[in-house]
């Protein structure tokens, strides 16, 4: 019976729903969400060397240097909790990052199990990003129209009444993030297609419908990678 670390990648442009869906997959399957955006924002908040180097680049909507991002990802993915499996959200974003990830996983006897391309049109992305906000305490994500707290003004998860918006969620920066996506990241779809691990999901549907499609893809992969069908049977 095999047991490997399942590794699933969510690909997609800004606002496609990578973070929203990764969080739900994490809750459902016990996988660990690895968001390089979150890791970098944390580094900026702590004003670590990597954070200082990344701050202006992120505010401009451009991509942070491969060396910084790969080092941050490498450190996080090596933590023991990631043995449960990982959902990569926002990484890789360049061919160099994809090759670094392939090499990193190969060294551990692991591999990318699936790269799922979340497909949305540009108008929906802008709409989703412009309405996005998060809880200031626990980071739970919301949207002005598509995901409001159950009780107005209070976070569903922790009750906090303070919310915030990301510094890079203004119209100009979003446009630059889209340009960076089309210039650097969109081609990764081909990389994973050639590896035979690419799946497409129509992410124009509502959040729960997209999650249903993702669960159908992810459950068998997690079961197969961990080699423990009974233990991972969370379909009930
Ligand atoms: P990052 O944090 O990764 O941002 P992003 O890729 O631009 O993606 P977003 O977080 O904006 O969108 P998302 O797809 O997660 O959407 P979400 O689920 O929040 O990166 C930020 C910056 O960090 C980059 O610009 C770069 O500078 C740097 N960086 C990060 N990784 C890097 C890397 N690997 N290399 C180099 N630089 C890197 O959803 C958006 C909103 O829509 C939410 O409000 C949600 O509630 C709503 N929503 C979600 N799904 C749906 C749906 N189906 N229907 C309706 N509403 C929905």
């Amino acid at each position: 019976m095999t047991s490997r670390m399942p590794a699933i990648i969510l690909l997609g442009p800004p606002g496609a729903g990578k973070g929203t869906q990764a969080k739900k997959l994490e809750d459902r399957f016990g996988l660990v969400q690895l968001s390089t955006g979150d890791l970098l924002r944390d580094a900026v908040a702590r004003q670590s060397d990597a954070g200082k180097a990344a701050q202006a680049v992120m505010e401009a909507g451009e991509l942070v240097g491969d060396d910084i991002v790969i080092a941050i990802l490498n450190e996080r993915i090596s933590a023991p909790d990631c043995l449960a499996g990982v959902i990569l959200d926002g990484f890789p974003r360049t061919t160099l990052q994809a090759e670094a990830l392939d090499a990193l996983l190969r060294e551990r006897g692991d591999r990318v199990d699936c790269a799922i391309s979340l497909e949305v049109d540009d108008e929906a992305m802008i709409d989703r990003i412009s309405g996005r906000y998060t809880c200031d305490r626990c980071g739970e994500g919301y949207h002005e129209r598509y995901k409001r707290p159950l009780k107005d003004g209070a976070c569903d998860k922790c009750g906090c009444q303070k919310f915030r918006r990301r510094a890079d969620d203004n119209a100009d920066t979003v446009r630059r993030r889209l340009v960076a996506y089309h210039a650097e990241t969109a081609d990764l779809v081909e990389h994973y297609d050639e590896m035979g691990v690419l799946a497409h999901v129509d992410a124009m549907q509502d959040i729960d419908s997209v999650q249903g499609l993702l669960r159908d893809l992810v459950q068998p992969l997690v079961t197969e990678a961990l080699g423990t069908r009974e233990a991972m049977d969370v379909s009930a």
Side-chain angles (χ1 to χ4, degrees):
M1 191 170 271
T2 59
S3 183
R4 299 186 295 103
M5 177 189 79
I8 288 141
I9 297 172
L10 295 186
L11 292 171
K18 302 181 296 295
T20 303
Q21 298 297 341
K23 176 64 67 195
K24 284 175 170 283
L25 291 173
E26 179 180 67
D27 292 347
R28 180 65 166 185
F29 294 104
L31 305 172
V32 175
Q33 175 193 9
L34 295 187
S35 157
T36 41
D38 287 349
L39 293 169
L40 287 165
R41 280 184 285 280
D42 181 57
V44 170
R46 286 185 287 106
Q47 284 293 289
S48 66
D49 288 347
K52 284 180 195 156
Q55 185 164 12
V57 181
M58 292 174 77
E59 281 169 9
E62 287 160 14
L63 292 188
V64 175
D66 286 328
D67 48 347
I68 293 179
V69 183
I70 290 167
I72 284 187
L73 190 277
N74 196 354
E75 187 186 345
R76 181 64 188 93
I77 206 171
S78 304
D81 61 330
C82 290
L83 288 173
V86 293
I87 308 165
L88 293 145
D89 150 18
F91 184 96
R93 255 177 158 98
T94 63
T95 305
L96 210 142
Q97 291 178 21
E99 288 167 357
L101 177 67
D102 293 341
L104 185 73
L105 292 174
R106 204 165 36 241
E107 266 172 33
R108 310 161 48 123
D110 290 315
R111 60 179 151 78
V112 172
D113 289 279
C114 191
I116 305 172
S117 171
L118 298 180
E119 290 171 1
V120 288
D121 62 42
D122 282 11
E123 247 173 64
M125 287 180 238
I126 307 280
D127 181 41
R128 288 181 189 181
I129 288 180
S130 58
R132 167 170 62 187
Y133 59 99
T134 54
C135 171
D136 192 49
R137 188 191 294 156
C138 74
E140 179 69 4
Y142 295 97
H143 190 279
E144 284 162 4
R145 283 182 306 287
Y146 308 125
K147 190 187 165 202
R148 297 183 62 83
L150 297 172
K151 189 176 151 218
D152 256 354
C155 174
D156 296 344
K157 286 241 162 125
C158 73
C160 176
Q161 298 187 348
K162 207 171 151 204
F163 298 91
R164 62 185 141 87
R165 287 180 190 267
R166 272 170 44 178
D168 61 348
D169 274 357
N170 60 77
D172 275 357
T173 311
V174 170
R175 268 192 289 276
R176 283 200 290 273
R177 283 159 58 197
L178 267 177
V179 169
Y181 174 78
H182 288 298
E184 307 260 11
T185 311
D187 285 352
L188 290 184
V189 167
E190 237 170 77
H191 175 83
Y192 290 110
D193 198 15
E194 279 165 15
M195 282 172 65
V197 295
L198 180 69
H200 297 271
V201 161
D202 172 10
M204 288 298 290
Q205 304 178 51
D206 63 45
I207 292 174
D208 289 342
S209 304
V210 176
Q211 178 63 194
L213 296 172
L214 290 174
R215 284 183 186 179
D216 289 346
L217 283 170
V218 169
Q219 168 120 32
L221 296 169
V222 170
T223 304
E224 186 267 329
L226 293 176
T228 50
R229 185 169 294 273
E230 292 78 10
M232 289 306 299
D233 186 7
V234 289
S235 58

